[in-house]
Amino acid sequence: MPDSTPKKITITNGGPYMVEDGIPIYDHVGNPIAATGVYYMCRCGGSSNKPFCDGTHAKNNFNGQEFASKDTSANRRDTYVGDGVTIYDDRSRCAHAGKCTDNLASVFKMGTEPWVDANGASVEEIINTIRTCPSGALSYTRTEDGEPEEEAEGPGVTVAVDAPYHARGVEVVAGDGESYDVRERQTLCRCGGSKNKPFCDGTHWYIGFKHQME
Ligand code: FES
């Protein structure tokens, strides 16, 4: 029987992410950067060898303290029930990639309250848009209050341009050894500035984080 235990990314206190063997790493267009072995990936934003750690965190006053909730997503999320689809929104995991507001503004209405209209587009359009949310803040179910439907794509980590690591199908283990709730899609801070570490909160954009990929 295949092992269904998720592969792990473990946070080292004050240092990089330790990526377990068997989690491939890809660049922003899907080319593999690393396939096998344990990798240490930059978390402070200062490495000269991005996306890998070069020890800079020990010299640039990096504060890697984690602030993210370890509660379950079910306890954090808001629920918006529409005809044929229910949208879940876990604000505490949003990386502000803008895939929802940019691509389906009739449902995801920036600046209005409530900001989600689950009847603002077809079920198919809503599902297709939510599937592009890299952080997993948005999810959906086709029943009224079921578990989110998530397509298994992992394990893997994609290094986004000037933006966070897009992790899929992995378990993130905190520096204290406790795991965050396992979700299919998660965005991990790599600029060093998130106030919701280890997850991205969009700060990379405000501080002008740069790691232009070739
Ligand atoms: S990568 Fe650090 S906040 Fe997004």
Side-chain angles (χ1 to χ4, degrees):
M1 209 166 141
D3 183 5
S4 60
T5 313
K7 298 273 184 193
K8 293 182 175 59
I9 293 179
T10 302
I11 291 145
T12 63
N13 286 315
Y17 298 105
M18 185 179 78
V19 179
E20 186 181 352
D21 184 18
I23 303 178
I25 300 164
Y26 303 96
D27 71 11
H28 64 298
V29 290
N31 294 322
I33 300 174
T36 57
V38 174
Y39 292 97
Y40 290 86
M41 300 190 73
C42 177
R43 193 160 77 91
C44 73
S47 173
S48 300
N49 189 35
K50 295 184 187 70
F52 303 107
C53 173
D54 70 352
T56 296
H57 59 272
K59 303 173 211 152
N60 67 359
N61 295 320
F62 173 56
N63 180 353
Q65 193 175 354
E66 297 166 58
F67 293 102
S69 164
K70 294 196 187 84
D71 200 355
T72 62
S73 190
N75 285 341
R76 293 191 302 259
R77 67 196 179 205
D78 295 319
T79 301
Y80 302 91
V81 180
D83 296 330
V85 68
T86 294
I87 299 173
Y88 295 126
D89 174 31
D90 180 356
R91 283 294 80 203
S92 74
R93 291 297 190 263
C94 180
H96 301 283
K99 302 284 185 190
C100 54
T101 47
D102 289 353
N103 296 326
L104 201 57
S106 61
V107 173
F108 302 103
K109 303 174 170 184
M110 201 153 55
T112 66
E113 194 55 49
W115 81 285
V116 175
D117 175 2
N119 287 318
S122 71
V123 170
E124 190 185 7
E125 286 174 304
I126 290 172
I127 288 174
N128 287 342
T129 301
I130 289 176
R131 283 177 175 168
T132 67
C133 170
S135 69
L138 292 173
S139 56
Y140 70 90
T141 174
R142 277 169 273 214
T143 60
E144 200 161 301
D145 56 1
E147 279 302 300
E149 297 172 33
E150 297 197 285
E151 298 68 40
E153 299 169 15
V157 174
T158 297
V159 183
V161 176
D162 301 339
Y165 299 121
H166 295 184
R168 296 175 307 284
V170 300
E171 179 177 338
V172 177
V173 183
D176 63 6
E178 216 183 302
S179 291
Y180 293 93
D181 57 319
V182 178
R183 294 168 307 121
E184 181 58 33
R185 289 168 285 138
Q186 310 184 75
T187 40
L188 295 172
C189 175
R190 72 184 187 102
C191 74
S194 173
K195 294 171 200 64
N196 191 39
K197 292 187 186 74
F199 301 102
C200 169
D201 69 353
T203 297
H204 59 272
W205 190 82
Y206 293 100
I207 64 176
F209 173 68
K210 288 283 172 220
H211 175 197
Q212 198 68 45
M213 313 278 290
E214 291 304 316

